[in-house]
């Protein structure tokens, strides 16, 4: 045979081998993005020696006989070994034998014939699947699948169990959905018998061919696994094999604590969380740049690598650590506008403390006052503390002379800040004149739900129907042992849609302090008046029920916690409002029909009250002499009468909680002080004074009867003062608004 004939024989041989596996011409184009299928590389094998591959560790718990240390080279299957469903034309032909040449002169020299390379030879972390064979090799170790890799209708199919076990995946079967499930690193593949559709993380994907069962072996298209999991592969036509490159490197990872690290001070803790793949274990590690204590500030990169039991090193995992300068203690400092003061002379203190690192500071004063009323030297002390707990203290001594500028009572009236408290003789106040005024009401329907205040079980705490301007005021404590929620369910029992417009709304809680929740609800109610932030519409269809004013049911009320709400709404048709408390996990609309009405507690109040806005107008001059305006005493300011809609009995709104007082004082004298003085017990709650919210008091509570909280001071001219007040739930009524002349100010 001449050289030309020899070349022709070789060409026909290669063509025959290629035609036996037409699927891989299509499969190779479907490799994951970024995976190049190099024909030249596809016809080569790894240079790893058989000895190196034989030493690799096989995955435990897998199928087939014990792997041999020196697997034999794969042989070319004969036509009789045709896979199930594959036409004989797809089988590779016999490999031509060079020694069979009829022309010795044309026979290539033995030195030109490369030594046979075992089909099992591949790189570390590569899985070799033999075409039309049930043999597979991982790191040179042979395994046997339940069925050979088979070509069916032009698609290469593999035994899924053997394949995924080699790749290091988890395979399960869901009998309910009749799906075979493959899991790896959070990715999920689901296959169904005789279906071309499989799901990848819930997304349906079409395969080139259906999954099928053959001799109790579940077979799926090879590319369904490689594409979904991003496993690159090449086709070696010479050795008749597919080489899958598995991720075999271990992964290194670590975290650093604490989050703030200071040079020369902080001991750094490194917590590793590395993983090994394909049944290997971590056997070694390597650090670069690691220090337990960094001596100097700056940015440091620390890298960490691990080696597995196959001798493979991970890629380095790096963390940049920002090492801060050592924390500096703060510097406490303040100044006074003078070094010597008269008794009752205002003292101006200016805090000039700072932190070198810019940390926020908390301050603590000792012997600080707005003025002093006893002569002698006085040491004022300030301690500041940074966010890391370092503190510094500064002290300054001032001198108080024997000369008097203001008495303590005079000073308090003139200089105590708005919202702060100063003492007063409560018994004297009873002798002050009561201010004369006219009072009218506005038609606002108040639905007050405050009894039982302590709710011991699920149920309807109050329910009634209202139309037009309506105010809902709630104040309840969860006295059960479970987490609860309060809902306001609005029901439209009319034949037409009803619109509920929320105009103003305030909410407080959940807290364990009843007075604080009441204070917060009134404060946020006043804020919504100033900002309009609560405005919204809800439409109820005929027969429909909805939860409204949902701020209250957006919170879970733990045992012994209290919530307060006060909201103004308007409805164009009558709406039934049901205030319910139920377990936090329950659906209120489903629970409502089966809830029982709860009894009153006999102490607190509930009911429906018309005319819940009280308009008070004072036209006489006030402030020139001490006088008072009494609110919530059920005498000069009587309780609003109403009805307990659940019991059908008469009710009286004790304390007038939920009533909004709109007070206009048309002629307040120049230099007048207005304060709030509680008479029924402790009180805390805001007022809206000339459009500004004033707390009474800023912190804590005002105690009856010998304390009062500063509300307002007029200037040097007569003026009108408008005050909006509503009693804060959880507090005590009545209260007095006191009006008194200010002392004349003196030059300092």
């Amino acid at each position: 045979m001449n050289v030309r004939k020899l070349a022709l024989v070789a060409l026909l041989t290669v063509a025959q081998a290629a035609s036996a596996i037409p699927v891989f011409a299509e499969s190779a184009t479907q490799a994951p993005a970024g995976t190049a299928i190099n024909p030249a590389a596809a016809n080569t094998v790894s240079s790893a020696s058989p000895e190196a591959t034989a030493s690799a560790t096989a995955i435990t718990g897998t199928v087939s006989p014990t792997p041999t240390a020196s697997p034999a080279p794969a042989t070319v299957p004969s036509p009789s070994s045709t896979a199930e469903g594959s036409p004989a034309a797809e089988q590779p032909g016999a490999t031509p034998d060079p020694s069979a040449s009829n022309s010795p002169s044309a026979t290539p020299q033995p030195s030109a014939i490369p030594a046979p390379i075992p089909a099992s030879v591949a790189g570390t972390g590569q899985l070799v699947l033999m075409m039309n064979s049930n043999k597979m090799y991982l790191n040179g170790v042979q395994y046997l699948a339940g069925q050979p890799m088979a070509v069916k209708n032009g698609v290469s199919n593999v035994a899924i169990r053997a394949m995924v076990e080699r790749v290091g995946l988890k395979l399960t079967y869901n009998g309910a959905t009749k799906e075979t499930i493959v899991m790896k690193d959070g990715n999920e593949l689901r296959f169904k018998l005789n279906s071309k559709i499989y799901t990848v993380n819930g997304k349906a994907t079409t395969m080139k061919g259906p999954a099928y069962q053959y001799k109790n072996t579940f077979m799926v298209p090879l590319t369904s696994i490689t594409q979904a999991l991003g496993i690159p592969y090449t086709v070696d036509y010479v050795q008749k094999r597919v080489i899958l490159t598995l991720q075999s490197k271990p992964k290194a990872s670590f975290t650093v604590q604490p989050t703030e690290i200071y040079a020369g001070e902080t001991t750094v803790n490194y917590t590793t969380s590395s993983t090994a793949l394909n049944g290997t274990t971590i056997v070694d590690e390597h650090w670069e740049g690691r220090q337990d204590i960094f001596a100097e500030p700056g940015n440091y990169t620390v890298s960490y690598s691990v080696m597995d039991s196959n001798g493979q090193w991970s890629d380095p995992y790096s963390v940049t650590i920002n090492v801060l300068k050592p924390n500096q203690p703060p510097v406490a400092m303040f100044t006074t506008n003078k070094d010597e003061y008269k008794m009752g002379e205002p003292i101006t203190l200016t805090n000039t403390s700072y932190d070198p690192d810019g940390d926020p500071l908390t301050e603590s004063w000792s012997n600080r006052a707005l003025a002093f009323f006893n002569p002698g030297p006085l040491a004022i002390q300030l301690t500041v503390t940074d966010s890391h707990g370092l503190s510094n203290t500064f002290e300054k001594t001032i001198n108080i002379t024997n000369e008097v500028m203001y008495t303590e009572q005079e000073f308090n009236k003139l200089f105590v800040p708005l919202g702060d408290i100063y003492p007063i003789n409560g018994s004297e106040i009873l002798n002050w004149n009561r201010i004369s005024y006219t009072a009218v009401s506005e038609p606002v329907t108040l639905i007050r739900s405050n009894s039982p205040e302590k709710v011991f079980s699920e149920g309807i705490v109050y329910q009634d129907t209202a139309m037009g301007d309506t105010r809902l005021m709630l104040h309840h404590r969860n006295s059960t042992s479970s987490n609860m929620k309060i809902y306001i369910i609005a029901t439209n029992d009319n034949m037409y849609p009803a619109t509920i417009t929320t105009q103003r709304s305030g909410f407080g809680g959940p807290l364990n302090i009843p007075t604080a929740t009441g204070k917060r609800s009134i404060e946020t109610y006043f804020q919504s008046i100033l900002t309009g932030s609560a405005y919204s519409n809800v439409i109820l269809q005929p027969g429909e029920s909805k939860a409204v004013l949902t701020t209250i049911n957006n919170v879970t009320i733990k045992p012994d916690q209290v919530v307060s709400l006060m909201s103004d709404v308007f409805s164009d048709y009558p709406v039934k409002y049901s205030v319910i408390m139920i377990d936090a996990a329950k659906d209120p609309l489903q629970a409502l029909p089966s809830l029982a009405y709860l009894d009153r507690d006999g102490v607190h109040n509930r009911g429906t009250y018309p005319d819940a806005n009280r308009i008070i107008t004072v036209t006489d001059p006030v402030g020139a002499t001490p006088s008072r305006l009494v609110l919530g005493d059920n005498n000069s300011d009587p309780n609003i009468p109403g009805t307990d809609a659940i019991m059908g009995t008469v009710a009286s709104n004790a304390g007038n909680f939920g009533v909004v007082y709109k007070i206009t004082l048309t002629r307040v004298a120049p230099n007048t002080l207005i304060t709030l003085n509680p008479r029924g017990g402790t009180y805390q709650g805001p007022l809206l004074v000339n459009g500004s919210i004033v707390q009474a008091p800023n912190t804590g509570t005002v105690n009856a009867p010998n304390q009062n909280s500063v509300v307002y001071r007029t200037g040097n001219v007569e003026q009108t003062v408008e005050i909006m007040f509503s009693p804060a739930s959880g507090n005590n009524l009545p209260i007095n608004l006191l009006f008194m002349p200010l002392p004349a100010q003196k030059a300092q």
Side-chain angles (χ1 to χ4, degrees):
M1 182 180 294
N2 57 28
V3 174
R4 183 175 180 181
K5 289 183 178 180
L6 182 62
L8 182 58
V9 170
L11 180 61
L12 290 173
T13 302
V14 172
Q16 184 181 13
S19 68
I21 45 172
V23 63
F24 292 111
E26 170 254 321
S27 299
T29 64
Q30 298 182 36
T35 303
I37 306 297
N38 187 329
N43 286 280
T44 60
V45 294
S46 170
S47 60
S49 66
E51 292 77 13
T53 57
S55 64
T57 302
I59 300 176
T60 60
T62 55
V63 297
S64 294
T66 304
T68 58
S70 301
T75 60
V76 179
S78 65
S80 61
S81 63
T82 303
E84 185 274 330
S86 301
E90 293 181 342
Q91 300 308 310
T95 303
D97 184 357
S99 64
S101 174
N102 294 323
S103 177
S105 62
T107 302
Q109 298 299 316
S111 60
I113 300 175
I117 300 174
S120 62
V121 174
T124 303
Q126 291 186 325
L127 176 64
V128 177
L129 306 178
M130 303 307 299
M131 300 175 188
N132 301 314
S133 170
N134 67 341
K135 292 181 181 179
M136 56 179 63
Y137 300 92
L138 178 63
N139 298 327
V141 180
Q142 177 181 295
Y143 299 89
L144 297 179
Q147 289 294 324
M149 181 168 64
V151 177
K152 186 174 183 180
N153 298 325
V155 178
S156 293
N157 296 272
V158 293
I160 188 170
R161 180 174 294 278
M163 167 98 177
V164 301
E165 287 177 345
R166 297 286 73 73
V167 176
L169 310 183
K170 179 182 179 182
L171 185 143
T172 58
Y173 180 75
N174 187 324
T177 61
K178 297 182 180 179
E179 291 175 309
T180 297
I181 304 170
V182 176
M183 296 289 298
K184 180 174 176 61
D185 299 331
N187 295 304
E188 181 187 74
L189 285 66
R190 289 177 173 255
F191 298 88
K192 280 191 175 182
L193 189 63
N194 300 322
S195 174
K196 295 177 69 172
I197 304 299
Y198 76 122
T199 61
V200 180
N201 297 326
K203 181 180 179 181
T205 306
T206 302
M207 300 185 288
K208 294 296 182 180
Y212 64 93
Q213 188 95 0
Y214 181 69
K215 293 184 179 180
N216 296 322
T217 300
F218 192 63
M219 308 287 287
V220 297
L222 172 63
T223 52
S224 65
I225 296 177
T226 58
Q227 287 179 349
L229 300 179
I231 301 174
Y233 65 89
T234 58
V235 181
D236 181 356
Y237 292 102
V238 174
Q239 296 280 355
K240 298 178 179 56
R241 60 184 186 163
V242 181
I243 304 172
L244 284 72
T245 301
L246 309 180
Q247 186 179 22
S248 58
K249 286 183 180 180
K251 292 182 180 180
S253 181
F254 69 94
T255 57
V256 173
Q257 289 292 334
T259 54
E260 291 186 347
I261 297 171
Y262 294 91
E265 294 180 355
T266 308
T267 299
V268 183
N269 297 314
Y270 300 87
T271 303
T272 61
S273 56
S274 303
T275 55
L277 304 175
N278 301 325
T280 61
T281 57
I282 302 297
V283 297
D284 199 2
E285 63 180 9
H286 175 70
W287 292 90
E288 289 187 4
R290 170 172 172 165
Q291 299 181 51
D292 293 335
I293 297 178
F294 291 87
E296 299 295 333
N299 290 325
Y300 294 84
T301 299
V302 179
S303 296
Y304 176 59
S305 304
V306 294
M307 187 182 77
D308 65 18
S309 53
N310 279 345
Q312 283 218 91
W313 281 97
S314 68
D315 294 327
Y317 180 85
S318 298
V319 172
T320 298
I321 300 175
N322 180 26
V323 179
L324 305 173
K325 293 179 180 179
N327 182 41
Q328 301 292 318
V331 176
M333 181 68 65
F334 68 89
T335 61
T336 57
N337 58 322
K338 297 169 64 173
D339 292 330
E340 187 171 86
Y341 297 87
K342 301 173 184 177
M343 287 187 289
E345 182 177 359
I347 298 173
T348 301
L349 291 170
T350 304
N351 185 353
T352 58
S353 303
Y354 66 94
D355 186 83
D357 306 309
D359 293 338
L361 298 176
T362 57
E363 58 185 66
S364 175
W365 292 87
S366 176
N367 211 23
R368 179 188 183 181
L370 298 175
F372 293 97
F373 301 94
N374 294 300
L378 282 166
I380 304 172
Q381 195 175 81
L382 168 64
T383 299
V384 292
T385 305
D386 67 14
S387 57
H388 302 279
L390 293 183
S391 299
N392 184 246
T393 299
F394 176 77
E395 183 178 281
K396 180 178 180 179
T397 299
I398 60 174
N399 186 52
I400 309 299
T401 68
N402 290 317
E403 190 176 355
V404 176
M405 177 172 281
Y406 297 107
T407 66
E408 187 169 0
Q409 193 65 238
E410 291 172 334
F411 180 89
N412 289 337
K413 291 179 180 180
L414 284 168
F415 300 110
V416 168
L418 292 181
D420 279 4
I421 299 170
Y422 74 86
I424 194 170
N425 187 340
S427 61
E428 292 181 356
I429 293 172
L430 297 177
N431 298 321
W432 291 13
N433 291 330
R434 296 193 180 203
I435 293 175
S436 299
Y437 60 83
T438 59
V440 296
S441 297
E442 286 183 337
V444 176
T445 300
L446 168 64
I447 294 177
R448 179 181 176 186
S449 180
N450 188 203
S451 184
E453 185 172 281
K454 295 181 179 181
V455 184
F456 292 94
S457 66
E458 293 183 325
I460 301 172
V461 289
Y462 194 62
Q463 184 184 80
D464 202 1
T465 298
M467 176 180 172
D469 288 311
T470 305
R471 177 171 301 132
L472 293 106
M473 195 227 81
L474 285 67
H475 184 75
H476 293 287
R477 181 192 294 270
N478 175 15
S479 293
T480 73
S481 58
S482 303
N483 290 341
M484 306 292 277
K485 283 190 175 184
I486 289 181
Y487 293 86
I488 302 171
I489 305 299
T491 302
N492 179 14
D493 291 328
N494 306 286
M495 298 176 60
Y496 306 98
T499 300
I500 301 174
T501 300
T502 301
Q503 301 166 323
R504 297 163 287 276
S505 187
F507 176 72
L511 293 170
N512 296 92
I513 307 171
T515 55
T517 61
K519 174 184 177 181
R520 181 61 178 164
S521 69
I522 300 300
E523 180 182 5
T524 51
Y525 175 84
F526 286 156
Q527 288 172 349
S528 74
I529 292 175
L530 299 177
T531 64
S533 58
Y535 188 89
S536 64
N537 284 320
V538 172
I539 298 177
L540 291 176
Q541 298 301 323
E544 185 180 18
S545 294
K546 281 185 181 178
V548 296
L549 302 172
T550 54
T551 301
I552 196 168
N553 60 258
N554 284 337
V555 300
T556 298
I557 312 169
K558 297 178 181 179
D560 208 39
Q561 287 186 332
V562 181
V563 292
S564 293
L565 177 138
M566 191 164 89
S567 299
D568 291 345
V569 301
F570 177 88
S571 64
D572 52 359
Y573 284 95
V575 173
K576 181 169 66 178
Y577 298 97
S578 302
V579 182
I580 66 172
M581 179 180 281
I582 59 172
D583 187 279
K586 291 186 177 180
D587 184 304
L589 298 182
Q590 292 181 359
L592 178 59
S594 62
L595 293 177
Y597 293 104
L598 301 182
D599 291 334
R600 295 174 296 189
D601 58 22
V603 177
H604 301 91
N605 185 271
R606 74 182 182 195
T608 303
Y609 303 98
D611 304 327
N613 281 355
R614 184 158 286 181
I615 313 301
I616 293 176
T617 304
V618 180
T619 56
D620 293 337
V622 297
T625 59
S627 59
R628 60 188 175 127
L629 177 63
V630 183
L631 301 176
D633 67 342
N634 198 27
N635 184 8
S636 58
D637 179 38
N639 296 343
I640 297 178
T643 303
D644 183 336
I646 293 178
M647 303 298 295
T649 56
V650 174
S652 177
N653 187 11
N656 278 344
F657 289 93
V659 173
V660 172
Y661 293 85
K662 299 178 180 179
I663 304 166
T664 301
L665 302 126
T666 59
R667 299 183 59 192
V668 181
N671 302 312
T672 295
L673 171 67
I674 304 174
T675 66
L676 183 146
N677 170 238
R679 306 303 298 186
T682 60
Y683 190 85
Q684 56 174 322
L687 303 90
L688 192 60
V689 184
N690 283 356
S692 297
I693 296 175
V694 178
Q695 300 291 347
N698 289 323
T699 59
T701 60
V702 195
N703 295 321
N706 297 318
Q707 287 186 340
N708 62 357
S709 180
V710 178
V711 171
Y712 192 74
R713 291 184 180 94
T714 62
N716 294 324
V717 296
E718 183 179 280
Q719 68 176 99
T720 296
V721 177
E722 294 180 343
I723 300 174
M724 184 178 289
F725 171 77
S726 187
S729 295
N731 286 278
N732 300 282
L733 273 292
I735 61 103
N736 284 342
L737 290 178
L738 305 181
F739 302 84
M740 65 197 84
L742 288 169
Q745 292 202 36
K746 301 175 183 178
Q748 297 187 37

